[in-house]
Structures are given as C-alpha cells and as structure tokens.
Amino acid sequence: MSAAATVPAGVPLEAPAPARKPGRDRYLDLLRAVALVRVVIYHLFGWAWLTVLFPSMGVMFALAGSLMARSLARPALGVIRGRIRRLLPPMWAFSLVVVPMMFALSWRPVKEEGLWWFVKLAWYVFPVGAPPYPWSSGDPAGLLEETWADQAAGPLWYVRAYLWFVLASPLLLRAFRKLPWVTLLAPLGLTAVIGTGLVTIPGESGNALSDFAVFGSCWILGFAHHDGLFEDVPRYLTVSLASIVMGFGLWWASGHLTADGWDLNDIPLAQAAWSLGFCVILLQYAPSWQELPGRLARFDRLVTLANNRAVTIYLWHNLVILATVPLIDLLWKIPYVDAHLGSTVEAMYTLLMTLLVWPLIGLVILCVGWVEDVAAKRRPRLWPDGRR
C-alpha cells in the first residue's frame, strides 16, 4: 500500500515532489507464501488439522480479492483481460505436459458422453468448467499410482473458481459498495443452502457453484480490506464477531465429520465459516509492511520467489510430490541400501519426500516458471527472488 505523496520543506509548490511508486504489501506477500507452503505440506502428509490451523484456500482468495478491488480502479474489461492473460498461459504449460501423459497412459473417451467429452477438453484451455481426467490410470512401468491423474489435475478446481471470481468481480464489487454487509455474508448463506445437502445440484455444476459459495465471502472480504471497511468498526467487535463465526464453523464440523475427520475441505459450511472468520482476523490486524521486519527479513527472498511463482507452485506441486516416489525408490537399486538400510528408508519415506519436494519445485520453477513472466508481459526470469 502506497502512502500519499508529500511536498518536502523548501520545495516550491509549483514543483511538487513526484509521487512514490506503489510498492507491494509484504504482509500480504508473507500470507500468500505461508498459504502455498501449507498447501504443499497438506498434500504431502494429508493432515486434516492443517485445514483448521491455516485455511490456505480462504486466505489466497481473500488476498486475490483485495488485489482485484485495487485493480478495478481501472476499466473493468481491461482488468479482467489482464487477470485472465496472467492465469491461462501457466495452466496451458501444465496442460501440455499432463494431458498427453493421460492419453499415453490409456485414457480414452467415455462413449456415453459422446462429443461432450471432447468439448470438456476445452476446459484445459479456458477452465470455466472442471477439466476432465481419468479417476484411474494404468502405468505399465509402475512409476505412478493409479490415481496420479486425480492428484495432479484435481487442484485445478482452484483455477476454475478463481476465473469465476475474476469474471464476476465488477458486479460483486458494485454490489459490495452498495450493500457491503449483505454482499459479504450472502455467499455464507448460499453455502448453508447448497453445501449442506438442503438443495443438491448434481455434477460438476454443483461442485463449481459450491466452491464459488464457500470462498465467495473470503473474496469479497478482500474488497472490504481494500476499501477500509473495518477501519470504521471497533477492532474488539470485529474480532468478537469473527470468533463467533469461527466457533460456529467448528461446531458444525464436529457434527459432520467425514472419514478424514476434521478435514474442512470435506465440510463446506464449516470451511466457509472458519475461513471467513480466520481471514477477518488476519486482515483486521494487517500491518502495511514495505519490508519484512525483524527475523522475518531472512525469508525475504523466498517470500518474493513464492509470490512471483505462485501459480507455477500451485499447479505443479502435486505432480512434483508424485515424482518423489519413483526417485526415492531408486535407493533400493543400491545394494548396500537394499541390504542394510531398507527398513530405515521405509520408516523415513515421508520425510524423504518432504526433503526432496522442495528442490524439485525449484527445478520446475527454473523450467516453466518464466511462463508467468511472459503472461504478465515482463522480461522472463529464471529465479525471481528479488535479488538485483
């Protein structure tokens, strides 16, 4: 967030000092980096409690909503076109690798769907719907498990939801500025209707609408953060109300636990309520940092890199996690390891995956991360960590 330009003493009013170029809010950058790391750790270990500890998807949508509101100070059509241009090329690069892999591993059209199956493939180009993928896919070499396609392409729901929010943002922002509290809470009410089984919308249409409702309040909360809505509300009141909403989310989750326990990803209303309250508190106490303070400064380059390659990290991280398995299995090809350390490797398997996934993500950033720069009409960079 940039400060207003001031005129220093001794400078004539006829020649005002130039306005400072707006900089990035490093607090928001830090939240986005933490959210991405949490997503990777969650998909590595599958710990359900991580969705309660830090609701990454809600945080990412709230931050994106704040940036979208700032951008919409310009003509809406140009803003939407720019957002789509930045989003799609990285997804196309991902699709050019994953989709041929699916076909090579015996993915075939579903006869019952006819031509509609081929139409859905277009969602890998413009994902207004959920891109299709096989639920199971054979691998003659045994390098990938049967559900690899679901794990690799499943996270594309986020891209679809983000695209929906971008397209709807001009109308949502106009509604928010006329009826802020109604607009902010309306998605939570919609989730209570379609996310609890009260009204069921089958198929991917229902999933898309449910995602839009669950995280809609977080996106609109980003509008509130940008417009300074909470500056007019006493902090104790904001935090108290947010805590009540979060408490309701946990109460609802406790009565609707799934096979994965407290995984809020499987409990839409709990996810919506907990994420909204959590993001309210994060943004209510949001400082405006031009630089990371204190000990956080040591992570400055990593935070910068994560933000400059956020789309790449999100799109590829699950495929990278899958790639760690055949690489670790190569250890058993070493005679000494197979004979003496096999049980140790087996016991430390997940730890080895965790240690290996980060350099592999770095490799992906080097190989395809530059596509994000091209999409943003910037000079391509291999490792944009802010180092000059």
Side-chain angles (χ1 to χ4, degrees):
M1 302 294 291
S2 63
T6 58
V7 181
V11 177
L13 293 179
E14 293 82 1
R20 293 194 321 181
K21 186 177 180 179
R24 295 189 63 93
D25 188 325
R26 299 300 281 167
Y27 175 72
L28 301 187
D29 285 349
L30 177 64
L31 290 181
R32 187 178 293 105
V34 171
L36 286 168
V37 171
R38 204 286 282 160
V39 168
V40 175
I41 295 297
Y42 170 78
H43 286 137
L44 270 168
F45 293 93
W47 292 331
W49 53 267
L50 284 175
T51 62
V52 178
L53 179 66
F54 195 88
S56 285
M57 306 318 298
V59 171
M60 291 170 69
F61 280 120
L63 300 179
S66 180
L67 294 176
M68 190 68 184
R70 185 175 70 177
S71 297
L72 283 173
R74 307 191 302 271
L77 185 60
V79 172
I80 292 175
R81 185 167 55 244
R83 283 287 187 272
I84 293 175
R85 188 190 68 239
R86 291 185 177 208
L87 177 69
L88 294 186
M91 180 178 174
W92 295 340
F94 176 79
S95 301
L96 284 174
V97 173
V98 171
V99 175
M101 285 178 61
M102 294 177 186
F103 281 111
L105 296 176
S106 304
W107 189 30
R108 297 293 180 266
V110 180
K111 294 181 179 180
E112 292 77 7
E113 294 192 28
L115 291 176
W116 179 241
W117 187 87
F118 294 95
V119 172
K120 291 196 298 183
L121 286 178
W123 290 334
Y124 280 102
V125 178
F126 195 79
V128 290
Y133 52 84
W135 289 100
S136 62
S137 178
D139 177 14
L143 297 178
L144 295 172
E145 57 182 279
E146 290 187 354
T147 61
W148 77 268
D150 178 38
Q151 296 181 57
L156 293 179
W157 72 267
Y158 173 81
V159 179
R160 175 192 61 195
Y162 181 89
L163 182 60
W164 277 40
F165 283 126
V166 166
L167 295 174
S169 280
L171 291 177
L172 290 175
L173 185 58
R174 185 178 303 176
F176 170 76
R177 286 174 175 168
K178 288 185 177 180
L179 298 169
W181 298 106
V182 173
T183 308
L184 177 63
L185 297 176
L188 192 61
L190 181 60
T191 305
V193 174
I194 65 174
T196 61
L198 188 62
V199 174
T200 302
I201 302 175
E204 285 299 331
S205 298
N207 292 335
L209 188 58
S210 178
D211 294 336
F212 188 84
V214 167
F215 297 106
S217 289
C218 291
W219 185 274
I220 296 168
L221 181 66
F223 297 169
H225 172 257
H226 173 266
D227 286 4
L229 178 67
F230 296 113
E231 294 177 3
D232 300 327
V233 182
R235 180 171 289 179
Y236 75 88
L237 181 59
T238 304
V239 174
S240 297
L241 293 175
S243 300
I244 292 173
V245 173
M246 293 170 69
F248 167 78
L250 291 182
W251 171 79
W252 183 266
S254 68
H256 298 81
L257 299 180
T258 65
D260 295 323
W262 285 85
D263 194 327
L264 300 186
N265 292 325
D266 300 328
I267 315 171
L269 185 55
Q271 174 77 286
W274 180 260
S275 296
L276 175 60
F278 194 95
C279 290
V280 165
I281 294 176
L282 283 181
L283 296 180
Q284 174 68 79
Y285 283 92
S288 185
W289 291 338
Q290 295 299 313
E291 297 179 355
L292 293 177
R295 295 182 178 179
L296 292 175
R298 71 184 66 177
F299 301 106
D300 183 80
R301 288 180 179 173
L302 290 177
V303 170
T304 300
L305 179 66
N307 278 268
N308 284 326
R309 293 294 180 260
V311 178
T312 299
I313 294 171
Y314 181 81
L315 286 175
W316 290 88
H317 77 276
N318 257 9
L319 195 59
V320 168
I321 290 173
L322 291 170
T324 63
V325 176
L327 291 176
I328 295 173
D329 287 347
L330 291 175
L331 291 173
W332 273 275
K333 301 291 185 180
I334 304 174
Y336 181 83
V337 172
D338 187 31
H340 302 282
L341 300 177
S343 58
T344 302
V345 172
E346 189 69 32
M348 298 177 60
Y349 206 96
T350 305
L351 176 60
L352 292 174
M353 290 176 65
T354 305
L355 295 176
L356 186 57
V357 74
W358 302 111
L360 288 180
I361 288 177
L363 182 61
V364 169
I365 289 174
L366 288 172
C367 292
V368 299
W370 55 268
V371 176
E372 290 196 56
D373 290 328
V374 174
K377 295 185 177 181
R378 292 192 297 257
R379 178 178 58 84
R381 299 164 294 172
L382 290 179
W383 196 258
D385 63 352
R387 183 182 308 177
R388 295 180 180 178

